[in-house]
């Protein structure tokens, strides 16, 4: 039984069979046929899936950074942009019409983790310059932890109405996350995130302590301040 990894081998059979009937098919045509046998739209999508499985398209990671454990590695290519020095990228391997459907919670993330010692009791700012290409949502993010699995502060920009996640295609834009670091904090984690399809690029990361004059970046509250719309007469379009 062949798997998708055998696509190039599988493409030889129909080409040979058709040649015996004096019908000439190119190797590329046969690869397209094989791709459809696996439910994919085209050879480019299948080739990306093969590269993900074999690691043939792997990018070098910036020193001190790593891919998060929850990243959907088969869907995302992450590392240093080979065409632009000093630039990290996260890109979905598959295009939107390729036949591979990503759930809303599919994402890729690159991160760094540091000790909180130098920032406890103060405020910290993460900044970077970002660029999106046909992205569902791309952002920087930061999390302050008390211990493994105990989150004290978190912001990934996704719920911001202003200066939030980048969507679609954009030029280079600066984004910031500012969080308080409680006295009980043990680690600070931060990085780059892409949800869904597309590509996000990042340059010029900075992590710095800031004083009280710099306000924490706004986030949507977890709880409403008071009971709201109990008669259900007001509505909004779902996100």
């Amino acid at each position: 039984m062949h798997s998708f990894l055998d696509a190039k081998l599988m493409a030889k059979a129909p080409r040979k069979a058709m040649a015996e009937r004096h019908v000439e098919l190119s190797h590329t045509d046969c690869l397209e046929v094989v791709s459809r046998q696996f439910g994919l739209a085209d050879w480019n999508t299948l080739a990306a899936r093969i590269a993900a499985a074999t690691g043939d398209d792997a990018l070098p990671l910036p020193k001190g950074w790593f891919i998060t454990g929850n990243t959907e590695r088969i869907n995302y290519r992450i590392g240093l942009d080979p065409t632009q020095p000093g630039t990290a990228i996260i890109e979905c391997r598959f295009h939107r019409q390729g036949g591979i459907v990503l759930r809303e919670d599919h994402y890729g993330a690159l991160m760094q983790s540091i000790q909180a010692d130098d920032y406890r009791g103060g405020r910290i700012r993460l900044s970077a310059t970002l660029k999106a290409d046909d992205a569902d949502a791309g952002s920087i993010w930061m999390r302050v932890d008390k211990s493994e699995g105990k989150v004290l502060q978190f912001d990934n920009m996704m719920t911001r109405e202003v200066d939030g996640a980048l969507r679609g295609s954009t030029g280079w834009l600066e984004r910031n996350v500012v969080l308080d670091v409680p006295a009980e904090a043990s680690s600070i984690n931060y990085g780059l995130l892409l949800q869904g399809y597309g590509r996000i690029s990042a340059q010029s990361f900075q992590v710095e302590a800031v004083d009280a004059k710099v306000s924490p970046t706004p986030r949507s509250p977890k709880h409403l301040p008071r009971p709201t719309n109990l008669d259900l007469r007001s509505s909004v379009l779902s996100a």
Side-chain angles (χ1 to χ4, degrees):
M1 176 69 71
H2 288 298
S3 75
F4 68 91
L5 296 174
D6 303 315
K8 291 185 177 181
L9 177 63
M10 294 171 65
K12 294 180 179 180
R15 188 180 186 190
K16 180 180 179 181
M18 296 306 291
E20 292 172 352
R21 292 168 174 77
H22 307 291
V23 176
E24 293 298 324
L25 290 177
S26 70
H27 186 57
T28 300
D29 289 336
C30 293
L31 287 172
E32 295 291 337
V33 171
V34 171
S35 300
R36 286 173 173 77
Q37 290 177 331
F38 286 106
L40 302 176
D42 51 42
W43 166 243
N44 286 338
T45 303
L46 181 52
R49 190 175 179 189
I50 292 171
T54 59
D56 288 347
D57 67 346
L59 294 172
L61 295 176
K63 184 178 180 180
W65 296 75
F66 59 96
I67 299 172
T68 64
N70 291 332
T71 286
E72 303 275 355
R73 289 175 179 255
I74 195 169
N75 295 328
Y76 296 98
R77 186 171 180 241
I78 301 174
L80 292 171
D81 187 342
T83 68
Q84 197 162 12
T87 303
I89 62 171
I90 303 175
E91 61 183 5
C92 182
R93 287 188 167 97
F94 311 115
H95 59 82
R96 298 178 186 277
Q97 288 77 41
I100 293 179
V101 179
L102 301 184
R103 299 194 313 267
E104 291 183 359
D105 60 347
H106 277 189
Y107 70 88
L110 180 69
M111 70 174 291
Q112 190 168 94
S113 183
I114 62 173
Q115 296 179 355
D117 303 31
D118 294 339
Y119 303 95
R120 287 194 190 103
R123 190 165 286 174
I124 188 172
R125 175 168 60 198
L126 168 70
S127 61
T129 305
L130 308 179
K131 180 178 181 291
D133 295 285
D134 190 32
D136 284 349
S139 68
I140 55 174
W141 59 273
M142 184 161 58
R143 191 184 73 235
V144 179
D145 291 350
K146 178 178 179 181
S147 58
E148 190 72 27
K150 177 64 174 180
V151 178
L152 298 174
Q153 300 279 345
F154 177 70
D155 183 7
N156 65 4
M157 303 183 356
M158 290 295 175
T159 60
R160 290 192 207 168
E161 296 182 0
V162 178
D163 293 335
L166 275 58
R167 304 177 193 276
S169 297
T170 72
W172 288 99
L173 300 170
E174 184 173 329
R175 287 293 186 264
N176 298 277
V177 174
V178 180
L179 296 177
D180 289 323
V181 184
E184 65 269 31
S186 63
S187 66
I188 301 170
N189 310 278
Y190 49 83
L192 181 65
L193 171 71
L194 174 68
Q195 287 187 353
Y197 296 99
R199 170 176 166 142
I200 188 75
S201 305
Q203 298 176 342
S204 306
F205 276 93
Q206 292 187 53
V207 176
E208 56 190 332
V210 294
D211 59 31
K213 295 179 181 177
V214 179
S215 300
T217 43
R219 288 166 287 156
S220 296
K222 182 178 180 180
H223 305 291
L224 294 171
R226 62 192 62 86
T228 301
N229 191 33
L230 299 184
D231 62 3
L232 309 180
R233 293 184 180 277
S234 297
S235 64
V236 295
L237 292 177
S238 60

